[in-house]
Amino acid sequence: TFYYVIRLCLEKIPLQCILQSRTLSGADAINALRPFYFAVHPDFFGQHPKEREVNENSLKRLNGYLENLQKPGFRSFKPTQLTFYVREREPNSSNVQESFSASGFRAVSFTLHTRDLLSTVLDILNSCSLSTEHIQSLNVNSQPQKEAKSTVNRPIKWDKTYYSFTGFKDPEEELEQAQRVETTLISWLDYNEASAVKKLKKSLPLRKELERLKFELLHQLQLSDIRWQRSWGIAHRCSQLHSLSRLVQQRPEVLKNVKGHTVVFTDRSGVSAAGHVMLGTMDVHHHWTKIFERLPNYYKLQKRLLFLEDRISQLLGGIQVIYIEELQPLLTLEEYYKTLDSFYNKLCDSRLPFHPHSLRGLQMILESDRYAPSLHEFGHFTIPTICDPATLQWFIFAKAQEARQNLKRKEEMLITEKELIDTSTEKFSLDRLYKEPSVSSAQMIDCCKRLLEESLPYLQGMHLCVSHFYSVLQDGDLCIPWNWK
C-alpha cells in the first residue's frame, strides 16, 4: 500500500486517474489518435513515395492490432514492431492543423505490446513525441468504476519471492522477456506461414483474372505496359482494369491516341513527367476520356520540356538532366516543366562558370522537396531546385569523380541483384521475389546473399517482398525486412 501511495504522488495524477477509472472505446481511440494520424497519413506524403508506402503498410498493421484489442475474449499476445515517418512540427504553433511544417519528417520505430486500447494509444503518442493532454478531456462512454469494485478487480501484485517459492511463472517477467527477444526470420515465418498460405490461396483466382485482363488490354490498346503507383490489393487492381475495359467498349475512338504508351493507375489523372498516361483511380470515365483526347497537346509540352532539359545541361557543363520514375515523386508533365523552368531561370541569373562538356557523362535529377544536394549509389546527383548556385557548383565538382565510379558500378550492381533474385527464387521455389522501391540495390543484394545461406522450406510457392519490416499483406505476400536477423 505504501508503494502504491508513493507511486501516485510521483506520477501525473490526471493521467493516472484515467488509466485506473476509464476504458477507451474504439471511437475514443480513433479520436485520441487524430494528431498521430495527421502526422503520418500517407496522403500528406504525396511527394515522398517511399515514405508513403512505409506509412501505408504500418497503418494497416496498426489497424489490425487495434481491431484485435477490441475483439471480445481476445487473449493472444504478440508484440508488433512498427515504423512510421512522422512529419516534423513547427515549435511555436498551437494549432494542430498548422503545427506541421513542410521542412521534412523523421523516422520513428516502436513496439506495441499493450493489451488495452488506452495504453496502446498512449504508447503511440508518446513514441511519436505527440501530446497526450487531449486524452484527459475525452468523453469516454464507459462509466468510471466504483472504488470498491475496482479494488476487487485489480490484479494481485505478488512479491517476487512468491514465484520463487511456488515455481509459478511471473507474468511481468515473461512480458519483459518477450519484449527483449528480437524477432527472427525463422520464428516469424513459423508463426505467420499458415496465415500467408491461406490468404495466398484465396487470392489465386483473382491473380489469374488480373493477368488475363492486363494481357487483353495491352494487346487491344497496343500499350507498352500497365502499372500501378501504389501497392493496391489484387481485387482493387482487377476493378481498375475492368473499369478501363468498359471505357474501351463505350468509347473506342478516344483510345487510339494511347497506342505505344504506358498506363499508370495513380491518385490523379494526367500525363506524368516520364510521359506515361496517369489514370486517377477516384476519377470517373469522363476524366479519363479527357486525358486521352488531350494526348496530342501533351506531345507539344513534352518537346518543350526536352528542350529545357537540354538548355540546363549546357549551362552545367554537359551533365544530363534525367527523371527516374522509381526514385522521384510522381509529377505531372506540367509540374515537372514548371520545376525545370524555375531551375533554368535561376541558373541563367547565376551564370555559373562550368566549362563546356566538362561534366559530360554525368547525370542529375531535380527535386523540389529537398534542401541539400546528394549523390546516389547509382551515380546520379540529386539536386534541390532551391539549392544555392555556389553550393551546387562546389558539390558537383567535389563529387564528380565518385559519381563516375558509381555509374560504372551501377550496371554491375544491377546484374548482381538480378542474379541473386533469380537464384533465391529458384532455391526456395518462390513464385515471386521482389522489393519495395525504398529498398536500395545494395540492401537487396545483402538480403539475398544471407537468405541463400539459410534453409527455408516455408517459402515454397510464396510471394516474398523485401521491405523494412515484417508483415503479411492482404493477398498473402510475405514482407520481411532487408536486414532480417
Side-chain angles (χ1 to χ4, degrees):
T1 304
F2 176 76
Y3 168 78
Y4 185 67
V5 172
I6 293 296
R7 194 176 73 177
L8 275 179
C9 294
L10 291 174
E11 296 179 353
K12 293 183 178 179
I13 300 297
L15 195 57
Q16 188 68 20
C17 289
I18 291 173
L19 287 168
Q20 286 182 0
S21 63
R22 292 185 178 184
T23 303
L24 230 58
S25 68
D28 290 325
I30 292 172
N31 195 27
L33 285 172
R34 284 180 69 185
F36 165 75
Y37 287 129
F38 191 74
V40 304
H41 200 281
D43 287 351
F44 294 107
F45 288 79
Q47 301 300 310
H48 305 276
K50 303 172 190 175
E51 290 75 15
R52 175 180 182 137
E53 191 164 6
V54 169
N55 282 12
E56 278 181 347
N57 286 298
S58 292
L59 278 174
K60 288 177 188 174
R61 299 174 66 219
L62 172 60
N63 290 338
Y65 189 94
L66 294 175
E67 285 173 12
N68 284 335
L69 288 179
Q70 296 173 68
K71 289 178 182 176
F74 179 73
R75 298 226 191 294
S76 65
F77 173 76
K78 181 173 176 282
T80 300
Q81 186 173 358
L82 299 172
T83 297
F84 285 99
Y85 285 96
V86 182
R87 294 191 294 143
E88 292 288 9
R89 299 174 66 89
E90 292 285 5
N92 299 321
S93 178
S94 57
N95 189 321
V96 173
Q97 296 291 329
E98 299 173 354
S99 63
F100 295 90
S101 69
S103 59
F105 41 78
R106 54 193 167 87
V108 174
S109 295
F110 53 89
T111 302
L112 294 178
H113 47 72
T114 44
R115 293 172 182 265
D116 65 276
L117 279 174
L118 182 56
S119 300
T120 303
V121 167
L122 292 172
D123 272 3
I124 293 168
L125 294 174
N126 287 325
S127 298
C128 296
S129 302
L130 297 172
S131 173
T132 57
E133 292 180 7
H134 62 287
I135 296 179
Q136 299 176 32
S137 60
L138 285 178
N139 294 320
V140 182
N141 295 329
S142 312
Q143 293 298 323
Q145 297 174 345
K146 295 179 182 179
E147 187 178 348
K149 187 178 179 181
S150 65
T151 306
V152 173
N153 290 338
R154 182 165 56 87
I156 299 173
K157 184 176 176 66
W158 297 101
D159 188 87
K160 297 290 182 185
T161 54
Y162 167 79
Y163 299 106
S164 301
F165 182 78
T166 60
F168 294 143
K169 292 181 178 179
D170 182 351
E172 287 191 1
E173 191 176 317
E174 280 191 312
L175 180 61
E176 288 174 5
Q177 287 177 355
Q179 293 170 19
R180 285 196 299 267
V181 174
E182 190 173 16
T183 303
T184 65
L185 178 63
I186 302 296
S187 64
W188 186 83
L189 288 174
D190 188 49
Y191 188 87
N192 291 279
E193 182 201 10
S195 169
V197 169
K198 185 179 178 182
K199 290 180 178 179
L200 181 61
K201 284 182 178 177
K202 188 178 178 181
S203 74
L204 288 178
L206 274 176
R207 290 181 187 271
K208 289 181 179 178
E209 174 70 358
L210 182 67
E211 286 179 16
R212 184 189 68 79
L213 287 168
K214 184 176 178 180
F215 179 81
E216 285 182 2
L217 285 168
L218 284 172
H219 284 74
Q220 192 173 2
L221 299 176
Q222 298 182 51
L223 299 173
S224 295
D225 196 9
I226 296 176
R227 300 179 193 166
W228 286 264
Q229 178 198 3
R230 293 162 58 190
S231 52
W232 283 296
I234 304 297
H236 198 162
R237 295 187 182 202
C238 282
S239 175
Q240 291 158 3
L241 292 186
H242 275 298
S243 188
L244 179 57
S245 187
R246 283 194 299 272
L247 179 60
V248 173
Q249 294 170 4
Q250 295 165 5
R251 299 289 305 276
E253 73 282 357
V254 300
L255 286 143
K256 292 177 181 177
N257 295 329
V258 81
K259 179 181 176 181
H261 281 75
T262 291
V263 168
V264 185
F265 288 97
T266 68
D267 295 324
R268 52 183 175 162
S269 298
V271 173
S272 74
H276 303 325
V277 179
M278 301 192 302
L279 300 181
T281 57
M282 300 301 291
D283 291 339
V284 295
H285 284 178
H286 174 67
H287 294 104
W288 289 6
T289 302
K290 278 189 173 181
I291 295 300
F292 292 129
E293 289 174 341
R294 292 175 184 169
L295 280 178
N297 293 327
Y298 281 110
Y299 301 152
K300 297 174 184 177
L301 181 60
Q302 200 166 18
K303 285 181 180 178
R304 289 166 57 195
L305 186 146
L306 293 172
F307 175 77
L308 206 50
E309 285 182 339
D310 234 16
R311 295 293 298 148
I312 292 172
S313 177
Q314 290 174 23
L315 291 173
L316 293 178
I319 190 170
Q320 184 185 6
V321 183
I322 59 173
Y323 178 84
I324 304 177
E325 190 180 15
E326 295 80 12
L327 300 176
Q328 291 182 256
L330 191 62
L331 302 175
T332 63
L333 205 61
E334 298 93 332
E335 288 170 342
Y336 189 49
Y337 182 84
K338 287 179 182 178
T339 299
L340 287 171
D341 189 49
S342 172
F343 187 70
Y344 172 68
N345 292 329
K346 192 172 186 177
L347 287 178
C348 288
D349 293 339
S350 63
R351 297 183 180 180
L352 292 174
F354 281 98
H355 191 277
H357 312 304
S358 59
L359 298 176
R360 180 180 285 179
L362 296 181
Q363 299 173 337
M364 62 171 277
I365 63 175
L366 275 175
E367 287 202 9
S368 56
D369 57 354
R370 291 184 181 267
Y371 296 88
S374 61
L375 179 62
H376 194 268
E377 65 173 347
F378 281 169
H380 62 262
F381 291 96
T382 301
I383 306 298
T385 52
I386 62 169
C387 186
D388 173 63
T391 303
L392 169 65
Q393 183 186 11
W394 176 86
F395 186 81
I396 291 178
F397 280 147
K399 297 285 186 177
Q401 187 58 34
E402 186 182 347
R404 294 188 190 278
Q405 292 171 354
N406 286 4
L407 280 169
K408 285 182 180 178
R409 284 201 303 266
K410 175 183 175 180
E411 292 304 319
E412 296 175 6
M413 192 178 289
L414 288 174
I415 290 170
T416 303
E417 182 182 12
K418 186 180 183 307
E419 287 176 349
L420 286 169
I421 289 173
D422 291 343
T423 306
S424 300
T425 303
E426 185 179 352
K427 176 180 177 179
F428 301 115
S429 301
L430 287 163
D431 196 65
R432 185 187 177 203
L433 173 58
Y434 63 104
K435 68 172 185 176
E436 287 185 349
S438 55
V439 176
S440 70
S441 288
Q443 290 170 338
M444 187 65 172
I445 288 170
D446 175 71
C447 175
C448 289
K449 281 182 177 178
R450 293 188 297 112
L451 278 176
L452 288 168
E453 295 174 359
E454 302 291 328
S455 175
L456 301 168
Y458 313 87
L459 299 180
Q460 186 172 356
M462 301 303 293
H463 291 243
L464 184 65
C465 173
V466 177
S467 176
H468 295 279
F469 44 79
Y470 288 104
S471 177
V472 178
L473 301 185
Q474 60 183 346
D475 295 306
D477 294 43
L478 291 164
C479 286
I480 65 169
W482 69 271
N483 56 345
W484 54 271
K485 305 296 181 187

